[in-house]
Amino acid sequence: MNVAAMIRLDDAALAYRGRIALHPTTLAFVPGQLTVIAGPNGAGKSTLLKLATGEIAPASGRVRLDGVDMARLSPAAIARRRAVLPQSSALSFPFTVAEVVRLGLDAGGRGGGPTAVEQALARVELSGFGARVYGELSGGEQQRVHLARVLCQAGTPAPNEPTRFLFLDEPISSLDIRHQIAVLQIAREFARAGGGVVAVLHDLNLAAGFADRLVVIAEGAVVADGPPGHILTDALVVSVFRLDLRVGVLPPPHIPFILPQTAALSEDPHGHAARA
């Protein structure tokens, strides 16, 4: 693992039409770690991801890849170091599944033919889908096709190669629970192999179960950053999500959890769940 490799935001900030989307933020994303970004809708999670990936430039501050300002790197050079799974992807042409996945190999500057594509599809449980038309798949299947694409782009982390990063923006939004867990297992395996992974998730329970690090954003600012077991507390849920829910803890390794079903006990129209 190349511990010196990182993507770092140094006081990076962004505003849209006078509205602050992200206050000056300093964060580093490193290899060997699965970082989950969580927060309410409109908190700035996707903005943070777009800055970290070089998709957009900060209005102030810097975003650096291994110490080099991303603004000085070409799109091709950035694509060889990080792969991005966006919230949604629209394709207007009747590409086959294999053609979509192959785009990842091209973007990552990686060799490999049909075997690499087939292996990526197998990892996301879509073996045999290569010849099918992408537009004819279900939403969940399409999401997994794009995961296979970014896996091809990032490749397999290797000790003697530059660190590669995966950025996943709501990668489980269209998936059933089995495939949600499968996707997060893939992300964790990528990190354990020496890659860096940053994922935006809304499910705090899955975030707590899989993340090495949880970054919580509210109103465009980082309000908590650390291991889920340290920062996911009753007070955080109340202050950030406006829900009075208790956070429990499983036996060792002490993974925190929330029972959102308890909100059904509340008669408060504003959603503040009553405590037992």
Side-chain angles (χ1 to χ4, degrees), residues 9-36:
L9 286 75
D10 288 314
D11 288 326
L14 192 70
Y16 296 111
R17 299 180 181 179
R19 183 184 68 84
I20 296 176
L22 190 71
H23 291 276
T25 299
T26 297
L27 285 173
F29 301 116
V30 299
Q33 190 175 73
L34 170 53
T35 299
V36 169

Side-chain angles (χ1 to χ4, degrees), residues 202-206 208 214 232-234 236-238 241 243-250 255-263:
H202 283 293
D203 190 317
L204 292 177
N205 286 318
L206 287 176
L214 182 61
L232 191 55
T233 63
D234 296 8
L236 181 79
V237 175
V238 169
F241 296 96
L243 279 173
D244 190 11
L245 295 175
R246 283 194 176 127
V247 176
V249 181
L250 294 172
I255 297 173
F257 69 90
I258 297 171
L259 291 178
Q261 294 90 338
T262 57

